Amino acid sequence: QVQLVESGGGLVQAGGSLRLSCAASGRTFSSYTMAWFRQAPGKEREFVAAINLSGVRTSYSDSVKGRFTISRDNAKNTVNLQMNTLKPEDTAVYYCAAGRPYGTWSREYDYWGQGTQVTVSS
């Protein structure tokens, strides 16, 4: 079992940047696909980005491609999400997730953080 804790959320103006981090407990971090999901008010939780065990492969939702970058540091048990050119529609609670498969569905992930709020103003 792993525990995930997100940080780095906050309030930012449209066009600005934020960097989210997720710290994972345990020594098996490198055995998991890591992903970021987000949930806006009144909306379903949606996939944002994923990164495979080694960090070689990444996936992004169409809405964030070219703006967000996911990365991981297995030695430090962290996964990051660099968010650039933020838009108001990026406003959501962002969740870090860990799972065995490399997928884009929330049900494919076994462990979740509590989320960090990202608010982008116009």
Side-chain angles (χ1 to χ4, degrees), residues 52-116:
N52 76 337
L53 277 59
S54 66
V56 173
R57 297 183 67 236
T58 58
S59 297
Y60 299 92
S61 68
D62 289 340
S63 62
V64 306
K65 282 182 179 178
R67 299 189 297 120
F68 291 10
T69 302
I70 188 171
S71 62
R72 69 190 296 164
D73 187 338
N74 289 343
K76 296 181 178 180
N77 287 359
T78 58
V79 61
N80 304 302
L81 185 69
Q82 179 66 47
M83 305 185 295
N84 298 324
T85 319
L86 283 161
K87 304 175 180 179
E89 52 262 44
D90 294 319
T91 295
V93 177
Y94 284 70
Y95 298 90
C96 178
R100 292 297 185 181
Y102 184 71
T104 59
W105 289 16
S106 61
R107 66 184 183 183
E108 295 178 301
Y109 291 84
D110 300 314
Y111 306 105
W112 296 82
Q114 294 301 303
T116 185

